[in-house]
Amino acid sequence: MAPIPGSGLAKGLAVTLRTMTRKSVTARYPDTQPELPPRSRGVIGLFEENCTVCMLCARECPDWCIYIDSHKETLPAAAPGGRERSRNVLDRFAIDFSLCMYCGICIEVCPFDALFWSPEFEYAETDILELTHERDKLREWMWTVPAPPALDPAAEEPKEIAAARKTADKLAAAEAAARAATTSASQEREDGE
């Protein structure tokens, strides 16, 4: 069936009239905080204890907006006769948010979960040079990161946890068998005397 001429215009006018008669709802931003999605991308938070200064985030950043400085520190041997170990110590970790394009590559490539998305979005500055935030500010934003969503109860157990549980069960069974063997051996000695 052919459309009636002008029906599209009538539908458009009906939508316009419906919208015109509704009261508009405007959220007054500074007074009313917006409700953000739980995993929204606001700013990047740094969990400094997990950072090993591997530099993957800085190397993979397409904008080169992550600045990392570190030095090596020698740790004494853990056991006598052992060798000394060296480790990297983080001196500076800064992100220039005037360059950042919020792609999240740095968060994805971090092998030690040191970077996270925080829903914090109120970090505007009057001077563009002040948008380079150092590790102290990034650490403050870390505490605004929401907890990860709960796992699906019907989902399979992760492989790592299943393997750890299997190993723990084997060790517990071996210890129980050893205890049973020593108990039976001591009872046989008592019975023999």
Side-chain angles (χ1 to χ4, degrees), residues 33-51:
Q33 292 292 324
E35 291 195 23
L36 299 171
R39 302 301 288 176
S40 63
R41 292 182 175 193
V43 73
I44 298 169
L46 170 69
F47 191 55
E48 200 172 324
E49 286 77 19
N50 286 358
C51 184

Side-chain angles (χ1 to χ4, degrees), residues 148-168:
L151 296 174
D152 183 12
E156 285 183 17
E157 187 176 44
K159 293 183 290 187
E160 297 84 3
I161 294 175
R165 179 168 292 137
K166 186 176 179 183
T167 304

Side-chain angles (χ1 to χ4, degrees), residues 35-102:
E35 291 195 23
L36 299 171
R39 302 301 288 176
S40 63
R41 292 182 175 193
V43 73
I44 298 169
L46 170 69
F47 191 55
E48 200 172 324
E49 286 77 19
N50 286 358
C51 184
T52 61
V53 196
C54 65
M55 304 281 208
L56 275 175
C57 55
R59 281 184 286 183
E60 295 296 325
C61 179
D63 292 334
W64 293 86
C65 65
I66 299 175
Y67 309 110
I68 301 174
D69 291 329
S70 67
H71 70 275
K72 288 211 181 263
E73 196 174 82
T74 304
L75 300 173
R83 66 179 192 158
E84 294 180 338
R85 302 279 181 186
S86 66
R87 69 179 183 111
N88 286 330
V89 177
L90 184 66
D91 292 330
R92 178 179 187 226
F93 193 104
I95 299 176
D96 188 353
F97 286 104
S98 64
L99 295 176
C100 183
M101 64 181 187
Y102 303 91

Side-chain angles (χ1 to χ4, degrees), residues 12-25:
L13 286 173
V15 170
T16 303
L17 287 172
R18 242 181 297 147
T19 307
M20 285 176 50
T21 58
R22 289 187 191 147
K23 184 178 178 180
S24 63
V25 178

